[in-house]
Amino acid sequence: MPGSEIALSPEESHHLLRVLRACPGDALRVFGDGREFAASLVRSQRGIATVALEPRLEPPPPPRVALWPAVPFLKGGRTEFLVEKLTEMGVAGIIAYSAARDVARPGQDKAQRLQRVVLSASKQCERADLPALVIAPTLAAALGAAPGTAHRVVLIERSESQRLGEVAAILATPASPHPAIVFATGPEGGFDPAELEACGPFAAASLGPRILRADTAPLVAAAVILHAYGEF
Amino acid sequence: MPGSEIALSPEESHHLLRVLRACPGDALRVFGDGREFAASLVRSQRGIATVALEPRLEPPPPPRVALWPAVPFLKGGRTEFLVEKLTEMGVAGIIAYSAARDVARPGQDKAQRLQRVVLSASKQCERADLPALVIAPTLAAALGAAPGTAHRVVLIERSESQRLGEVAAILATPASPHPAIVFATGPEGGFDPAELEACGPFAAASLGPRILRADTAPLVAAAVILHAYGEF
């Protein structure tokens, strides 16, 4: 029905044209099928109003990849900030974990606070689905909190690892069967070697020669991966 | 000289081994050629210490593209936040402009405050050069503040424009002669049509179906373009 033109009944036409004094081009809201549509008055002929229904604004489809960033708890509201930005970008889930170094231990109400950020950011960017929010006690638990099929990537600064951009380009090729990716970034003090060893297998990746802050790296990494999947 | 092993003089060896009681593997700082090098003690034999000089840490090279984000002044410290993140990512210059809508008018000391953010972020990410910082009164002036050869891109939400990822991929192909790009993002209220008309020619681009906040879009756009040039 959206996208089409419809003629209103004589009663509705009278109300629209005589009572509301609508002119061609005026924006309207019409109800039908139990739903509301945006519409505009196209013309009136012999007392009958014809309106054009505009396509319903559908929420944006989810990205081609289910992306699960795992980010450390950071001080100064920066965890909230990351959750907001990652939600807007369209990630499938966000995992906040307690890092071995530089730990900002989450308070009792942290999960609820973050959930509120998820909700308001989802509304703001008009996404229909809320990203999942997971609180994990360790990096290993964080990587394990993503779907079992997810490709696991850990971003390690100053490493000689392959660039994340190259890793993402390979994963995003149509032949590559990885519909889900979980990536982890570290705290300001970096990962603890034992923390990494406890994780099991993962692909290490680098974000290039510049050292990004702990609240910058997850944003860049998410943008790079989603871009590789054609999202931006 | 860096990367090589050198034997210290008997006097220096005595000082290191007997006075400082250094053991093989210990990290040292050695001075030579008027410069300071990181080094480590490799071994001591017959009172002579041999140290290995570590490669000097060179600052990261600049990205292949000179990227100039033009961002509106935003409230609540979000301009500072953007300047910090964009500096870390490696942009060539940052242009902060007063948007026609939703204007957060910069105070007297805004330029100095932003310059301090540029400095601290440059140190943090170990880049050798500071990005240029330009304050522009309008969007048109902002686009004009980048090098004259820069390719001009304006990110417009809800537009049917080409995706920024596609634009960036074309610009980053080796045959494409655009070593500089200036891109502009708008304020929360979006661009004013007259503001866009005053800009002269530019390529319009979209960041996809999700509506990104005014302090999210510049970060995603910068990450996408720098990624297209192989930076991440």
Side-chain angles (χ1 to χ4, degrees):
Chain A
M1 200 158 107
S4 61
E5 287 189 5
I6 52 170
L8 301 186
S9 69
E11 294 75 20
E12 286 167 329
S13 296
H14 175 81
H15 182 73
L16 185 67
L17 299 172
R18 303 292 161 222
V19 180
L20 299 176
R21 295 177 173 276
C23 295
D26 281 3
L28 315 168
R29 312 291 298 175
V30 285
F31 296 85
D33 279 357
R35 294 182 301 178
E36 183 180 10
F37 298 90
S40 60
L41 178 58
V42 180
R43 61 183 165 270
S44 66
Q45 272 183 318
R46 280 171 268 173
I48 295 295
T50 300
V51 301
L53 299 186
E54 288 168 19
R56 287 189 83 207
L57 288 174
E58 297 291 339
R64 280 206 299 125
V65 61
L67 186 60
W68 291 73
V71 300
F73 281 108
L74 299 172
K75 290 173 186 151
R78 291 184 300 156
T79 314
E80 282 80 353
F81 158 80
L82 282 176
V83 166
E84 176 182 288
K85 300 306 172 215
L86 293 169
T87 297
E88 287 175 55
M89 286 191 210
V91 302
I94 302 167
I95 307 157
Y97 74 94
S98 298
R101 295 181 185 161
D102 286 357
V103 183
R105 292 274 170 217
Q108 288 272 328
D109 59 344
K110 193 65 162 184
Q112 285 168 26
R113 282 235 304 280
L114 295 178
Q115 192 61 52
R116 282 197 296 270
V117 174
V118 161
L119 192 63
S120 84
S122 294
K123 281 184 191 164
Q124 198 279 333
C125 72
E126 303 176 3
R127 60 184 280 180
D129 60 319
L130 299 185
L133 179 68
V134 181
I135 308 293
T138 63
L139 175 64
L143 290 176
T149 56
H151 192 85
R152 297 150 59 100
V153 179
V154 178
L155 290 153
I156 302 182
E157 65 183 17
R158 297 184 198 280
S159 70
E160 298 299 315
S161 311
Q162 205 174 13
R163 293 288 179 88
L164 178 65
E166 295 163 11
V167 174
I170 293 165
L171 292 178
T173 53
S176 183
H178 283 298
I181 297 176
V182 56
F183 76 80
T185 57
E188 295 294 357
F191 291 112
D192 187 277
E195 183 178 36
L196 288 173
E197 267 172 40
C199 285
F202 60 80
S206 149
L207 281 172
R210 266 166 291 278
I211 307 303
L212 302 176
R213 276 193 173 85
D215 59 338
T216 308
L219 303 179
V220 171
V224 164
I225 295 172
L226 289 168
H227 172 215
Y229 280 85
E231 196 56 30
F232 301 121
Chain B
M1 202 158 108
S4 61
E5 287 188 4
I6 54 170
L8 301 185
S9 69
E11 293 75 21
E12 286 168 329
S13 296
H14 175 81
H15 182 74
L16 185 66
L17 300 171
R18 305 293 161 219
V19 181
L20 299 177
R21 295 178 174 275
C23 296
D26 281 2
L28 314 168
R29 312 290 300 174
V30 286
F31 297 85
D33 280 356
R35 295 182 300 178
E36 185 181 10
F37 297 91
S40 59
L41 179 58
V42 180
R43 61 184 167 271
S44 67
Q45 272 183 317
R46 281 172 265 172
I48 295 296
T50 300
V51 302
L53 300 186
E54 288 168 19
R56 286 190 85 207
L57 288 174
E58 297 291 338
R64 282 206 297 124
V65 60
L67 186 60
W68 291 73
V71 300
F73 281 107
L74 299 172
K75 289 172 184 151
R78 292 185 299 155
T79 314
E80 283 79 353
F81 159 80
L82 282 176
V83 166
E84 176 182 289
K85 300 306 174 216
L86 294 168
T87 298
E88 287 176 54
M89 287 192 208
V91 302
I94 302 167
I95 306 157
Y97 74 93
S98 297
R101 295 180 185 162
D102 286 357
V103 182
R105 292 274 170 219
Q108 288 272 330
D109 59 345
K110 193 66 161 183
Q112 285 168 25
R113 282 234 304 281
L114 294 178
Q115 192 60 54
R116 283 197 295 271
V117 174
V118 161
L119 192 63
S120 85
S122 295
K123 280 185 192 165
Q124 199 278 335
C125 72
E126 303 177 2
R127 60 185 280 181
D129 61 319
L130 298 186
L133 179 68
V134 181
I135 307 293
T138 63
L139 175 64
L143 291 176
T149 55
H151 192 86
R152 297 150 60 101
V153 180
V154 178
L155 290 153
I156 302 182
E157 65 183 15
R158 297 183 198 278
S159 69
E160 298 298 315
S161 311
Q162 205 172 12
R163 294 286 180 88
L164 178 64
E166 295 164 12
V167 174
I170 293 166
L171 292 178
T173 54
S176 183
H178 283 299
I181 297 175
V182 56
F183 75 80
T185 56
E188 296 294 356
F191 291 112
D192 187 276
E195 182 179 36
L196 288 173
E197 268 174 39
C199 284
F202 59 80
S206 149
L207 281 172
R210 267 165 290 278
I211 307 302
L212 302 176
R213 277 193 172 85
D215 59 338
T216 308
L219 303 179
V220 171
V224 164
I225 295 172
L226 290 167
H227 172 214
Y229 280 86
E231 196 56 31
F232 301 121

